[in-house]
């Protein structure tokens, strides 16, 4: 992109705002290097990164970016064998920690099933390097000082230093506290000169202490002397400090060597942290200016809804709607000076540059931006005194260069085209330039105050008029952009409002030719129709909001009614089931009582027993008509599962459910066909019996179909005997002449018990073991009366 164009469109000022959101010098450098991309793929990739950054901020509030340092120079010096100082090593460790923390933060979000593919790719390449981080932090504190614990040797040396210092200070303090010696001193203090402990001695008493003179006061009256008594200890102290320096250098050199070994990973980490900081700075900036992601295309089509210039205060900026590249490729904006034409032009240009840079735009959602190979702009007064060019010449020089470079993938912005020369010639020249740009296929937004261009769009396809609104009542612009309406001249109306004589205004109106008056009348009519359309739009929006509110209320009521209906159905079904169970229990109790009487010798004939049981079964209370409806509806709408037998209503055929395709759709086998059927198009008939774990008592309901065999395998002895008794009664009622009792071979106890029970049972005529194809000794066949 042309640097002059980006300066004119204030792209660099926008980047200054973006810089404030970078957390490190690495991120700031990436912002400073930011340039618009010229291909759709690159722009979309950067937009996608910004989208993921804003998703993280929306879900987590912030990203942990603290501690990132620019360690490129440190690592490069370590690579060539240089020794890093303690502060530089701490910056390396801090950056390693920052990378590890940010990597963990992103990976945790991904584990929570939050989709962040681009952030995941960036973070996964960050190497933790925990050993290097631990080694540095064990040797260096947060203030950049090497710790005593960095090595055993350093600990020992520093203990010696502290011991020597204490010894020296003790001896010197004895001298300063002595009343005999105090009169020889300028001050009773112990100080340091040339890294050695000394005392201030008056010049005339120099020989009283001996030792070494290290310094004197500016007046010469005081000498800073190291007494002979502490020279030896000071020498030992200096030797210990020299040993400390050597040990510290050894430790730093060793840590620098570890940095050298991990240099490639450190450089890669730093690159990725710079990218992540830059990515999140774009996300933070999007939040700050309340921006949204635009849809991108490379077809020259843009549609900014409620667009705001990011450099204008949010409280002052007036949002505008701009579109281009749909039914028209050139937009000509007319209107008075200071009405906002230039701001509109700059807004279109800057937002396009931002979109191509991967930044979100301060526009409403579903806005659209295009990626152009070049953006050209002629905005503002480019007059050059050094080149002795007039305003018109300066503009024309710039326009000539633009016209030589444009193509069908260009966006061209002209401010006050043709200005600075004779109005008639300027207007004619402006028309020709606009025609040339249109024919080149480039997209164009131009501003002008020439009245001759107001009718330009009406005579050419692919060109649209627009204007900035002006409030005649307040004599001030509203800064609103009106697409499809050319700007009208407000000179007469403004003059009238300012008190100019009506006679003068009428005389002036006569001087205006008929064509101009006709254009003004047309524009006035358009504005009136626009205002009427806006009022209708507001009314329609109000009616729509009321309708949506009513719709939501009705949906809520419907949901409440459905929930209430389901509750009633469930309660009715539960009550019906309880009544049935109660009646069955009572019937079973009656039968058991009769059987006990029979065992006790009472004369009760078997057919009377069966008839009594039948009467008990007939005595089970029938469901009411309402309960039957409830039951039927509940069965119809019961949850359908694979294996269920259903009736497909639209075909009138029965089938079996094979699989669940979605919440409301199932795969059903109809004969030889498999097809997907909606849940509402099916009625559940029955389910496949599911295998249940053995229970202590397995009663056979009188309403269930009785099978010709009873399987006792796995049953306990007592439970099996009760089950055989109940089964024989049900089999007699069902009219079976022969039944199979499957007890298995096992230990033989169950087989023996079954045979004894059958032998004594009054309804059993005889028994035999099963044949070769009937289970052999594991099955007993009973002949019923």
């Amino acid at each position: 992109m042309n640097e002059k164009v980006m300066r004119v469109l204030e792209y660099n000022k926008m980047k200054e705002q973006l810089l404030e959101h970078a957390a490190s010098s690495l991120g700031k450098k990436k912002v400073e290097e930011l340039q618009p991309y010229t291909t759709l793929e690159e722009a979309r990739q950067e937009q996608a990164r910004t989208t993921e950054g804003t998703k993280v901020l929306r879900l987590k509030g912030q990203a942990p970016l603290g501690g990132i340092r620019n360690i490129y120079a440190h690592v490069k010096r370590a690579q060539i064998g240089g020794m890093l100082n303690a502060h530089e090593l701490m910056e390396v460790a801090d950056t390693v920690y920052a990378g590890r923390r940010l990597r963990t933060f992103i990976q945790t979000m991904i584990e929570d099933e939050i989709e962040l593919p681009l952030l995941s790719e960036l973070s996964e390449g960050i190497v933790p390097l925990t050993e290097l981080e631990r080694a540095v932090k064990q040797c260096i504190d947060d203030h950049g000082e090497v710790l005593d614990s960095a090595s055993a040797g350093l600990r020992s040396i520093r203990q010696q230093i502290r011991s020597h210092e204490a010894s020296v200070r003790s001896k010197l303090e004895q001298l300063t506290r002595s009343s005999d010696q105090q009169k020889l001193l300028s001050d009773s203090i112990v100080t340091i000169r040339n890294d050695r402990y000394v005392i201030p001695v008056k010049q005339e008493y120099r020989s009283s202490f001996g030792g070494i003179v290290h310094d004197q006061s500016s007046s010469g009256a005081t000498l800073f002397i190291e007494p002979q008594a502490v020279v030896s200890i000071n020498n030992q102290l200096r030797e210990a400090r020299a040993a400390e320096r050597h040990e510290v250098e050894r430790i730093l050199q060793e840590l620098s060597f570890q940095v050298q070994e991990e240099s490639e990973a450190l450089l890669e980490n730093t690159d990725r942290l710079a990218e992540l900081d830059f990515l999140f700075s774009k996300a933070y900036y999007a939040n700050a200016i309340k921006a949204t992601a635009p849809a991108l295309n490379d077809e020259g089509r843009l549609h900014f809804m409620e667009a705001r210039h990011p450099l204008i205060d949010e409280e002052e900026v007036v949002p505008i709607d701009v579109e281009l590249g749909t039914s028209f490729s050139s937009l000509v904006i007319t209107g008075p000076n200071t009405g906002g034409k230039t701001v509109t032009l700059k807004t279109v240009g800057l937002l396009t540059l931002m979109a191509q840079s991967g930044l979100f735009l301060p526009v409403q959602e579903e806005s659209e931006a295009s990626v152009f190979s070049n953006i050209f702009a002629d905005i503002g007064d480019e007059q050059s005194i050094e080149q002795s060019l007039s305003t018109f010449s300066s503009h024309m020089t710039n326009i000539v260069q633009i016209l030589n470079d444009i193509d069908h993938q260009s966006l061209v912005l002209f401010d006050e085209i043709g200005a600075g020369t004779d109005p008639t010639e300027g207007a004619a020249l402006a028309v020709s330039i606009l025609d040339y740009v249109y024919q080149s296929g480039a997209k164009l937004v131009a501003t002008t105050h020439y009245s001759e261009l107001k009718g330009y769009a009406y005579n050419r396809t692919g060109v649209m008029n627009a204007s900035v609104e002006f409030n005649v009542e307040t004599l001030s612009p509203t800064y609103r952009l009106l697409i499809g309406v050319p700007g009208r001249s407000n000179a007469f109306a403004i003059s009238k409002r300012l008190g100019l004589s009506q006679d003068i205004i009428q005389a002036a109106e006569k001087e205006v030719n008929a064509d101009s008056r006709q254009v003004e009348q047309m524009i006035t009519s358009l504005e009136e129709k626009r205002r009427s359309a806006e009022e209708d739009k507001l009314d329609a929006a109000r009616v729509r909001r009321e309708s949506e509110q009513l719709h939501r209320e009705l949906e809520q009521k419907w949901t409440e009614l459905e929930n209430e209906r389901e509750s009633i159905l469930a309660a009715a079904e539960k009550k019906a089931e309880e009544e049935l169970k109660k009646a069955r229990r009572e019937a079973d109790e009656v039968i058991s009582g009769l059987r006990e009487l029979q065992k006790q010798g009472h004369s009760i004939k078997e057919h009377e027993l069966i008839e009594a049981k039948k009467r008990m079964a007939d005595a089970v209370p029938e469901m009411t008509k309402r309960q039957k409806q409830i039951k039927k509806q509940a069965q119809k709408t019961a949850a359908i599962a694979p294996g269920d037998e259903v009736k497909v209503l639209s075909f009138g055929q029965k089938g079996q459910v094979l699989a669940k395709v979605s919440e409301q759709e199932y795969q059903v086998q109809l004969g030889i066909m498999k097809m997907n059927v909606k849940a509402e198009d099916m009625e559940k008939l029955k389910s496949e019996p599911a295998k249940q774990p053995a229970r202590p008592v397995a009663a056979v309901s009188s309403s269930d179909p009785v099978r010709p065999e009873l399987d006792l395998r796995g049953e306990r002895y007592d439970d099996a005997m009760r089950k055989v008794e109940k089964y024989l009664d049900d089999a007699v009622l069902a009219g079976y002449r022969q039944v199979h009792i499957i007890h298995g071979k096992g230990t033989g106890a169950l087989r023996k018990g079954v045979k004894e029970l059958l032998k004594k049972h009054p309804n059993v005529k005889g028994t035999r073991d099963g044949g070769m194809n009937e289970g052999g000794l594991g099955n007993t066949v009973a002949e019923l009366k």
Side-chain angles (χ1 to χ4, degrees), residues 241 261 339 398 470 645 678 757 782:
R241 284 176 174 163
E261 288 183 324
N398 195 21
F470 189 87
E645 185 178 348
K678 296 288 185 182
L757 189 151

Side-chain angles (χ1 to χ4, degrees), residues 239-297:
E239 289 174 3
R241 284 176 174 163
E244 179 193 27
R245 285 195 298 273
H246 289 311
E247 182 63 15
V248 167
E249 287 177 0
R250 185 193 68 78
I251 293 168
L252 296 179
Q253 188 64 61
E254 186 176 311
L255 293 173
S256 299
F257 179 71
Q258 292 186 46
V259 172
Q260 180 186 28
E261 288 183 324
E262 302 290 356
S263 59
E264 294 300 327
L266 285 168
L267 291 175
E268 179 66 20
N269 284 5
T270 308
D271 288 342
R272 290 177 180 270
L273 288 173
E275 288 290 345
L276 287 167
D277 187 9
F278 174 56
L279 182 153
F280 281 110
S281 67
K282 293 191 295 180
Y284 278 116
Y285 182 53
N287 285 355
I289 62 174
K290 299 178 182 177
T292 60
L296 294 179
N297 66 81

Side-chain angles (χ1 to χ4, degrees), residues 142-269:
D142 294 337
H143 304 290
E145 299 293 333
V146 179
L147 297 167
D148 293 359
S149 58
S151 73
L154 183 61
R155 182 187 295 108
S156 175
I157 291 169
R158 286 183 172 172
Q159 287 176 351
Q160 293 177 21
I161 290 173
R162 286 190 286 270
S163 176
H164 293 325
E165 286 178 341
S167 179
V168 170
R169 293 187 67 86
S170 175
K171 289 182 178 296
L172 292 180
E173 285 173 355
Q174 287 178 4
L175 290 176
T176 58
R177 288 197 298 267
S178 171
S179 56
D180 293 336
Q181 303 295 336
Q182 283 182 354
K183 61 183 179 180
L184 308 180
L185 303 176
S186 300
D187 198 354
S188 299
I189 62 170
V190 177
T191 186
I192 296 175
R193 289 292 187 276
N194 299 328
D195 291 331
R196 298 176 77 92
Y197 286 96
V198 296
I199 54 176
V201 180
K202 295 178 181 177
Q203 172 70 31
E204 59 269 26
Y205 300 115
R206 171 180 178 177
S207 59
S208 300
F209 291 93
I212 304 169
V213 177
H214 286 282
D215 199 1
Q216 67 177 9
S217 65
S218 56
S219 64
T222 299
L223 299 177
F224 294 94
I225 296 176
E226 178 186 0
Q228 188 64 42
V230 298
V231 169
S232 175
I233 302 175
N234 263 334
N235 286 341
Q236 293 174 1
L237 180 60
R238 170 164 284 194
E239 289 174 3
R241 284 176 174 163
E244 179 193 27
R245 285 195 298 273
H246 289 311
E247 182 63 15
V248 167
E249 287 177 0
R250 185 193 68 78
I251 293 168
L252 296 179
Q253 188 64 61
E254 186 176 311
L255 293 173
S256 299
F257 179 71
Q258 292 186 46
V259 172
Q260 180 186 28
E261 288 183 324
E262 302 290 356
S263 59
E264 294 300 327
L266 285 168
L267 291 175
E268 179 66 20
N269 284 5

